[in-house]
Amino acid sequence: MSRVLVVAEPARAFGEFRRPWVRALYRASRRLEQRALETVVTRLGAEHEVTLLVSRGGVDEARLGGAAALRFHDEESYQGDARLSRLSHDLVAAWWPPRGEEPGLDVGGVWLPDLLSMTKAVLLYLEVVEYAGMLERLLDEVKPERVVLMSGASIAERVACVLAAERGLEVGRARRALPTFARTARLLRRREERRALRVPLAQPRRHPLPAASRTIVFGVAHPRHFQLVEPLAQALAGRGVTPVVLAAANDPGAVEAPLRRLAGLGMAGAFIVDHLPPADARRLVRELRPLQRRLLARLSDTTAPGTLGAVVAPYARDTLTWTLATARLYLEAADRALDAYRPAAVVITSDRRISDRALALAARVRGIPVIVFWAGAILGRDRLNRFDVGDRILVIGEQVRTQLIEQGVEARRLAAVGDPRSNAARLVPAERLRAEVLSDFGLAPDRPLLVLVSKYVSVFFSGDEKAALYRTVRDALPRLGPVNVVVKVHPNEDLGLLRAQVIDWGWPDAVLTQDYDIHRLFGAATAAIMVTSMAGIEAMAMGCPVVAVQTPGKDVEGLNMLPYARAGAVERIEMGDAAGLATALRRLIDDPAERAALVERGRTFSERYVHPVDGALGDRLLAVVDEIRAELAAGGTR
């Protein structure tokens, strides 16, 4: 009996389409693919030893009847290693000529590929290289004589084809498979590349903000980064510093509200491209086209077919066609903004996004100190963090600082300063905070408050799992008696879509909020309910006990996710067990000693990952700026 590895197309977040008819079409397509997959695997399983790599929920295990050993994309994704991160960077580096060969790539001392290196390496890791890693492991472990692809259209299947061919394995394709989903994914990615360029070209400009003395510029590359930048800016505003917040233009609609909020607090905020008139932007794009044509010609000459480079070639072409121009526009806008404000320092919240890297690299050319504020509780599974643009990296806890030192970042460049996002909530007495939160939502003051932390659909969390989470909580509530429940919606979710979904899931009166401060919710809550996520650490650090609702048989803790369920820092309930969830919540509501014990276990566990800001954040930030300026004045190297 020979061994066969069957590779199915991964299911990702594309099932969360906004239009109902598109979602219905997607579900119908997935059902057809599932039946085709079950038919193929059952047929192969009658004669071969079959291993199936599939997304969770992609097959009905009962219908398979043990015809295959199952390996799931989401679980395999948690086993990445540093070698794959290096491969991601190497693949991106191959798209560019050596520095100096193309002068047009060097703009004012900044090499344009440096703006794209992290962004594109992350994209390749998540969409290509991660699959290469998991498939290499599977090929080594399973040792198949044959690899069967369901359609051969998805990136994961194309990577499997390349790796199998390199090993001299037979590769086949199932006849009944449908490649529609993979094609849709490619079209969506290409549309995003084009849109990213169109927005800074077409977005209406405002008048640039007036220059002020003793300015510090903050870069915001994503709407959720305002949650970090706003308290940082407020901490400086009271110390004779003028904070100026410059936002990327990739999602203008979502950024308008936080910019208005900043204005209401008396702080300056604008889009970074406000400093680049549309006519100048269009001229820069036109001037770049001859360079783009030369780079594309070089790419077609140097891409070797039949290797992983061939799989990533479409990413390279899209980068040279669209994203290179986007990077050029952001760099020009950053140059003009820094010349206008002449800030004492630049603070960015991501070293991966093009707009933030443009501000940082342009500042370094001018001798302006650059601070990266990294707000994650642990480093990402992709291990791509290089923090190459920051003179100092501020982190929220000692665990990340230790990880970065182990990764090779100099200890002198790192400081654990706590999480400023939680500072305001920590300063409010608990009873007053609870009363304010309940009043803000119009909830009954005599009922316990439960916070359900929503999770967006991704390769790690399917649409079926999301529906099961909501239904489990919905079914537990009648067993608890009168309680208040607030659903905290993730910033990456479509709130309008979720409102429609909760009705489908039988919970039409669910209270949803996407913008409300999660730390205020945790500080006021009796308990928080969530799938294992970083929000658990934030809740535990705020003294809020956590009940983790997990998919049965699914373990995501360990290398790239905090092991707080395994460590007993939270209550763990299996998804679908509404009675068990109700029992756990009832204990936390009715038994003060039980709740206090879980709060203490959570607080102890979270201390290594996040510690509170002590009220002196503004002074510490200014002290870091002074340290960097002194080093640069003394001739320090960067």
Side-chain angles (χ1 to χ4, degrees):
M1 179 177 286
S2 63
R3 290 183 294 275
V4 176
L5 173 63
V6 178
V7 181
E9 182 178 320
R12 300 192 69 170
F14 303 106
E16 295 263 291
F17 291 106
R18 297 179 184 179
R19 297 183 183 276
W21 69 267
V22 180
R23 294 201 302 276
L25 184 62
Y26 166 79
R27 287 194 294 267
S29 173
R30 294 301 292 175
R31 282 195 295 270
L32 289 173
E33 292 173 13
Q34 178 176 329
R35 293 193 192 107
L37 179 58
E38 291 166 355
T39 299
V40 169
V41 172
T42 301
R43 174 173 52 80
L44 288 171
E47 300 178 0
H48 306 279
E49 182 182 329
V50 178
T51 299
L52 171 61
L53 177 63
V54 65
S55 294
R56 193 174 298 275
V59 291
D60 185 334
E61 296 184 44
R63 288 171 61 89
L64 287 181
L70 299 184
R71 303 287 286 264
F72 295 112
H73 285 115
D74 55 353
E75 290 185 351
E76 298 296 325
S77 295
Y78 279 97
Q79 301 181 45
D81 58 56
R83 177 184 61 86
L84 300 179
S85 300
R86 289 193 296 272
L87 175 59
S88 301
H89 281 289
D90 290 344
L91 288 168
V92 174
W95 302 348
W96 310 102
R99 189 165 187 173
E101 186 175 302
E102 275 287 1
L105 287 173
D106 205 320
V107 180
V110 175
W111 200 45
L112 286 175
D114 281 344
L115 271 67
L116 302 169
S117 58
M118 287 294 294
T119 300
K120 294 304 175 180
V122 170
L123 178 67
L124 283 191
Y125 185 97
L126 297 177
E127 296 201 3
V128 179
V129 174
E130 191 169 46
Y131 291 117
M134 71 173 70
L135 285 159
E136 283 179 344
R137 286 193 303 273
L138 280 175
L139 291 171
D140 289 341
E141 294 172 14
V142 176
K143 296 179 171 58
E145 286 84 18
R146 183 183 176 199
V147 174
V148 174
L149 313 175
M150 284 305 298
S151 70
S154 70
I155 293 295
E157 292 170 276
R158 293 175 63 198
V159 170
C161 182
V162 168
L163 297 180
E166 286 180 349
R167 298 180 183 220
L169 302 178
E170 178 187 352
V171 179
R173 288 176 174 79
R175 294 180 179 177
R176 297 182 58 188
L178 302 174
T180 306
F181 180 50
R183 289 173 182 166
T184 301
R186 289 201 298 273
L187 290 172
L188 288 173
R189 177 177 55 77
R190 186 163 297 170
R191 184 187 69 179
E192 288 303 307
E193 297 275 4
R194 293 196 302 268
R195 180 181 176 276
L197 176 59
R198 282 199 305 268
V199 171
L201 283 172
Q203 179 178 317
R205 298 324 198 241
R206 314 177 189 194
H207 291 296
L209 300 170
S213 59
R214 209 181 178 209
T215 296
I216 289 183
V217 166
F218 290 86
V220 178
H222 191 281
R224 68 172 177 268
H225 296 168
F226 278 94
Q227 298 171 5
L228 179 66
V229 164
E230 187 175 308
L232 288 172
Q234 283 184 292
L236 293 177
R239 287 164 173 77
V241 175
T242 302
V244 172
V245 179
L246 297 179
N250 51 308
D251 193 358
V255 170
E256 287 289 352
L259 285 178
R260 286 195 299 270
R261 188 170 62 245
L262 281 175
L265 294 170
M267 291 183 286
F271 290 101
I272 187 172
V273 295
D274 288 341
H275 297 269
L276 179 61
D280 290 356
R282 292 191 293 270
R283 174 181 54 78
L284 288 171
V285 171
R286 287 195 303 272
E287 292 174 352
L288 199 62
R289 285 171 186 160
L291 171 61
Q292 290 172 303
R293 286 194 290 268
R294 292 195 299 273
L295 293 172
L296 285 165
R298 175 186 177 276
L299 182 69
S300 63
D301 291 340
T302 57
T303 300
T307 67
L308 200 58
V311 179
V312 305
Y315 294 85
R317 287 193 294 271
D318 289 346
T319 297
L320 299 179
T321 303
W322 306 103
T323 322
L324 180 62
T326 304
R328 179 66 185 92
L329 296 184
Y330 275 115
L331 180 59
E332 185 69 22
D335 281 333
R336 298 187 186 198
L338 294 178
D339 287 343
Y341 301 124
R342 301 188 181 277
V346 167
V347 181
I348 60 174
T349 53
S350 166
D351 70 333
R352 302 182 173 191
R353 308 271 181 156
I354 293 173
S355 61
D356 273 356
R357 289 184 70 85
L359 275 172
L361 291 171
R364 289 168 72 86
V365 168
R366 289 163 172 76
I368 298 171
V370 176
I371 297 171
V372 179
F373 204 120
W374 178 259
I378 65 171
L379 297 180
R381 72 185 191 280
D382 49 48
R383 306 298 177 87
L384 289 164
N385 312 86
R386 292 187 171 182
F387 296 102
D388 55 333
V389 297
D391 296 298
R392 290 290 188 280
I393 301 98
L394 308 185
V395 296
I396 66 174
E398 285 296 333
Q399 181 72 11
V400 170
R401 184 175 184 274
T402 299
Q403 286 180 296
L404 285 175
I405 292 172
E406 293 172 352
Q407 193 170 297
V409 179
E410 294 176 87
R412 70 171 186 85
R413 294 177 58 212
L414 295 158
V417 297
D419 188 354
R421 295 169 297 189
S422 65
N423 197 45
R426 292 174 185 275
L427 297 177
V428 182
E431 285 305 313
R432 192 179 108 201
L433 178 61
R434 184 176 185 279
E436 289 175 357
V437 170
L438 293 174
S439 175
D440 289 343
F441 287 96
L443 301 174
D446 58 343
R447 296 181 180 181
L449 172 62
L450 305 177
V451 175
L452 169 60
V453 180
S454 189
K455 189 175 178 73
Y456 65 94
V457 173
S458 70
V459 69
F460 304 109
F461 190 65
S462 69
D464 290 342
E465 288 177 289
K466 184 172 183 175
L469 169 66
Y470 274 79
R471 287 177 174 135
T472 301
V473 176
R474 176 205 64 191
D475 291 345
L477 294 181
R479 306 166 191 253
L480 292 174
V483 294
N484 296 310
V485 182
V486 173
V487 180
K488 181 63 175 73
V489 181
H490 193 279
N492 288 349
E493 291 184 84
D494 184 320
L495 182 58
L497 171 59
L498 185 58
R499 291 191 191 281
Q501 288 176 320
V502 293
I503 294 173
D504 292 340
W505 297 331
W507 195 1
D509 56 346
V511 178
L512 309 180
T513 179
Q514 194 165 37
D515 298 327
Y516 200 86
D517 184 356
I518 195 171
H519 301 94
R520 286 178 60 83
L521 288 172
F522 287 151
T526 307
I529 309 161
M530 67 187 72
V531 177
T532 297
S533 70
M534 295 307 167
I537 288 295
E538 297 177 277
M540 287 184 270
M542 289 295 298
C544 178
V546 174
V547 180
V549 182
Q550 302 296 114
T551 301
K554 181 176 179 178
D555 181 12
V556 299
E557 296 188 350
L559 178 64
N560 298 298
M561 181 56 68
L562 305 179
Y564 53 62
R566 198 179 302 166
V570 303
E571 289 276 353
R572 188 188 190 282
I573 301 296
E574 290 200 341
M575 204 173 290
D577 183 7
L581 176 59
T583 298
L585 292 171
R586 177 51 62 194
R587 282 200 307 271
L588 295 175
I589 292 170
D590 292 343
D591 190 335
E594 181 79 14
R595 184 178 186 275
L598 186 58
V599 166
E600 185 56 33
R601 294 202 301 274
R603 200 189 301 275
T604 300
F605 182 84
S606 67
E607 283 176 351
R608 74 192 82 169
Y609 299 101
V610 57
H611 55 259
V613 173
D614 60 10
L617 179 63
D619 292 332
R620 287 207 306 276
L621 193 58
L622 291 174
V624 169
V625 172
D626 290 340
E627 286 176 11
I628 301 169
R629 294 181 71 84
E631 290 174 4
L632 295 176
T637 58
R638 294 178 122 164

